[in-house]
Each structure stands twice: as C-alpha cells, then as structure tokens.
C-alpha cells in the first residue's frame, strides 16, 4: 500500500516517519520545495513534490495542511486520485470539514490524532508521536465501511487508541478538552503579562516554574492553529468559554465573600474529578 501525505509539518511529518518505519511507501506533497527536500533527507517520505500529481498512485492519503486549506486541497486533489483511493484529514475540527470533503470524495473519512507539541513544521516531526494517544475517526452514515476499516487498521499501527464519533460530537468534546484550554492558557499568559508594576512582573518571570510551565504550555502553541480552532469550532467553543466564565465568577465570589468551605469543596471535587480525564493514559 502507498500512503500519501499532504502538508509535511509536525503532524504530516510525524505520520510519515512512523508509516515508513512500518514499511509503507510514503509519498509527500508540501507547499515549499525546501520542505520537500528536508522531508526526504530526514526519512519522512520516500518521494516528495510540490505537485499533487505525485499522489496518483497513493491508496490512502492524509491531508495534514492547516485547517482552512483542507477542503480546497481535496478539491485540487480529486482529479489525480485513483477511483478506490481513501482520503482522510487530521484537522482539529471536524464538522466544517467532513461534510464538505465527503461531498467531494465519497471515500473520505474524517479523523483527528489527538497528539501534538508546541513546535511546528517539518523540523518538529518526530517518530512515535502518536503512541498511547487517542485517535478519533468521525465517519458519516454515508461513509463506506470498508474505508473506515482500512483507515482503522493503518492508524492502529501508530500505537494509538482509536475512538469513533460523529463530527459534531467530536467538535463538542474537543471544545472542552482542547480548544477551551488553549483559550484559557493564552488568557493566563496575557493576564500575567499585564501586571502593572515592572518589579513584580520581573519577579514573577524569575519565579515561574513547573506550575506556570504546565498551565501556559497550550497557550503558547501554534497561533494559526488556535485561530482556526476558534473560527471553525466557534459555537461549541463559545458554549465552553461561557460555562468556564461562570465557574471562574463563582470562584471569585467565594474568595471575595470569604466562603472558604464552598471553595474547599470545589477544590476537593476537582482534585478527584481530574482523574476521570486522565485515567488509562
Ligand atoms: P504545521 O506543523 O504548520 O504543518 C502544516 C504544514 O502544511 C506546513 O509545514 C506547510 O508546509 C504545509 N502546507 C501549508 N500550506 C500547504 C499547501 N497549500 N499545500 C501543501 N502543504 C501545505 O501544522 P500541524 O501542527 O502539523 O497541523 C497540521 C494539521 O494537523 C492541522 O489541520 C491541525 O488542525 C492538525 N492537528 C494539529 C495538532 C497539533 O497539536 N499541532 C494536533 C492534531 C491535529 P511548508 O513547509 O511546505 O509550507
């Protein structure tokens, strides 16, 4: 089987490294010729090009471009595809992508590897990025079963844990655990940076350690990706943000009113509830 990858950045490049290690022939297309050259040098792909025509012999293609380019890329790709080729994408939102892509190519199956890191681009690609991470597949009722089965079989080899949902369920769930944390984390960094007293701000910067590193990490990721999450998952993200604001207001009220018992109760329940999100990972 030949695997095609479009967009040789963090996710596309990391997929290429792992699929080549599994013995698949990997064909890569990216925007910049220099990225294509690096991808071959780093062993991410067997062959690379800036032309989608390279993918005429691909059986399964992963579109790993920024979110807003996924649908336009598939539009340009379809004239070159084999009739039985399966196409998937790795976009961090699904509703806006899967409906459009499924109309362009019946053998399209949306998916989302839930792995990443702060760096981006081909030089951030790393093998084993997806091991023990969730990989969500989001078929529609019209999606052919055999396409879902083949995609499942291939991505299982990355060592990830596979889940299935509708695109809409995906978008609501990731609004809570991925897109909301990005917005909270970025507002944390902004708020700290707005401390008026320069001496206090400098002291805070000097003292920042593991707690700040953990809570600010996702707010310092790829800015383009954060913007796309907000634009393409706007409704679900707004619901999550408004719920979060209510919780924050409640905490402010408890502290302002010195209602320590109520505050302690939510701190205890958070301590216990966090484990539900992190168990078995
Ligand atoms: P990235 O590192 O910036 O990689 C995207 C790559 O796409 C760029 O390196 C760029 O390569 C290439 N590209 C841009 N325009 C293109 C075009 N018109 N045709 C072909 N290639 C093009 O970003 P990423 O983090 O891998 O994210 C890519 C996708 O993965 C996004 O849809 C995102 O939602 C999804 N995702 C990201 C994460 C994460 O945490 N980062 C996690 C899961 C899913 P050039 O160097 O050639 O310009």
């Amino acid at each position: 089987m030949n695997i095609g990858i479009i967009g040789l950045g963090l996710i596309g490049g990391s997929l290429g490294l792992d699929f080549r290690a599994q013995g698949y022939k990997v064909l890569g297309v990216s925007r910049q010729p220099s990225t294509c050259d690096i991808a071959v040098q780093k062993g991410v792909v067997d062959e690379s090009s800036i032309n989608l025509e390279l993918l005429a012999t691909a059986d399964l293609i992963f579109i790993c471009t920024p979110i807003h380019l996924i649908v336009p890329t598939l539009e340009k790709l379809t004239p070159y595809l084999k009739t039985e080729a399966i196409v998937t994408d790795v976009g961090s939102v699904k509703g806006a992508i899967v409906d459009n892509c499924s109309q362009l190519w019946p053998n399209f199956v949306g998916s989302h590897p839930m792995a990443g890191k702060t760096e981006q681009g081909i030089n951030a690609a790393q093998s084993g990025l997806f091991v023990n991470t969730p990989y969500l597949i989001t078929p529609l009722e019209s999606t052919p079963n055999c396409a879902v089965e083949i995609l499942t079989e291939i991505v299982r080899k990355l060592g990830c844990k596979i889940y299935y949902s509708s695109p809409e369920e995906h978008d609501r769930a990731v609004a809570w655990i991925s897109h909301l944390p990005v917005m909270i984390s970025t507002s944390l960094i902004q708020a700290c940076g707005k401390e008026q007293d320069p001496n206090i701000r400098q002291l805070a910067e000097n003292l920042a350690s593991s707690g700040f590193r953990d809570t600010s990490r996702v707010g310092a990721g790829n800015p383009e990706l954060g913007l796309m999450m907000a634009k393409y998952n706007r409704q679900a993200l707004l619901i999550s943000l408004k719920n979060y604001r209510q919780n924050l207001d409640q905490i402010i009220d408890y502290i302002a009113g010195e209602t320590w018992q109520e505050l302690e109760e939510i701190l205890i329940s958070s301590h216990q509830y966090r484990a539900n999100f992190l168990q078995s990972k």
Side-chain angles (χ1 to χ4, degrees):
M1 170 179 282
N2 291 346
I3 293 183
I5 297 174
I6 308 174
L8 299 171
L10 168 65
I11 301 296
S14 302
L15 286 172
L17 286 169
D18 285 358
F19 287 138
R20 284 198 75 230
Q22 293 284 336
Y24 293 106
K25 181 171 181 184
V26 177
L27 307 166
V29 173
S30 212
R31 176 180 50 179
Q32 302 185 67
S34 57
T35 301
C36 294
D37 293 343
I38 295 168
V40 173
Q41 282 158 23
K42 284 176 69 96
V44 165
V45 295
D46 293 280
E47 294 172 33
S48 65
S49 172
I50 56 166
N51 297 314
L52 292 167
E53 207 174 341
L54 179 74
L55 304 177
T57 60
D59 303 290
L60 171 60
I61 293 146
F62 290 77
I63 303 180
C64 305
T65 64
I67 290 170
H68 66 292
L69 296 175
I70 292 172
V71 177
T73 297
L74 181 57
E75 264 172 349
K76 288 184 201 146
L77 175 68
T78 52
Y80 303 109
L81 289 174
K82 295 201 285 192
T83 44
E84 68 278 20
I86 298 166
V87 181
T88 187
D89 77 299
V90 299
S92 306
V93 298
K94 296 271 64 92
I97 291 171
V98 177
D99 284 344
N100 288 319
C101 286
S102 299
Q103 284 170 33
L104 290 168
W105 192 252
N107 248 1
F108 179 87
V109 191
S111 71
H112 182 193
M114 302 289 300
K117 56 182 188 176
T118 312
E119 296 82 14
Q120 62 198 91
I122 185 69
N123 288 314
Q126 71 174 62
S127 42
L129 183 70
F130 309 99
V131 173
N132 291 330
T133 63
Y135 195 115
L136 190 62
I137 297 177
T138 60
L140 300 175
E141 279 185 14
S142 57
T143 309
N145 278 341
C146 65
V148 178
E149 281 164 18
I150 290 170
L151 177 64
T152 300
E153 187 190 319
I154 302 294
V155 298
R156 197 184 298 287
K157 295 179 181 171
L158 298 170
C160 42
K161 198 169 172 185
I162 296 168
Y163 296 89
Y164 302 90
S165 81
S166 70
E168 290 70 27
E169 288 166 337
H170 164 279
D171 288 353
R172 287 173 59 191
V174 297
W176 284 117
I177 53 80
S178 177
H179 303 175
L180 176 64
V182 167
M183 298 307 154
I184 295 170
S185 178
T186 199
S187 65
L188 168 72
I189 299 167
Q190 289 296 314
C192 292
K194 285 178 184 154
E195 163 60 50
Q196 295 294 306
D197 183 332
N199 293 328
I200 298 297
R201 198 171 60 237
Q202 184 61 59
L203 185 59
E205 288 172 11
N206 293 344
L207 297 178
S209 186
S210 56
F212 190 79
R213 190 176 300 117
D214 291 348
T215 49
S216 63
R217 184 180 64 81
V218 295
N222 181 344
E224 184 185 38
L225 181 53
L227 183 63
M228 292 301 145
M229 289 169 172
K231 273 190 175 177
Y232 286 84
N233 199 18
R234 184 170 164 271
Q235 289 302 341
L237 178 57
L238 279 174
I239 290 169
S240 300
L241 276 166
K242 286 175 184 169
N243 271 285
Y244 176 76
R245 186 166 61 189
Q246 277 176 10
N247 280 275
L248 193 60
D249 283 343
Q250 191 170 55
I251 289 174
I252 292 170
D253 288 347
Y254 288 154
I255 296 172
E258 299 187 54
T259 45
W260 304 126
Q261 194 182 335
E262 282 84 346
L263 182 63
E264 187 180 23
E265 278 167 16
I266 55 170
L267 289 169
I268 290 169
S269 98
S270 298
H271 178 76
Q272 292 162 347
Y273 189 49
R274 180 174 185 261
N276 292 0
F277 287 94
L278 301 174
Q279 66 194 353
S280 77
K281 299 203 180 69

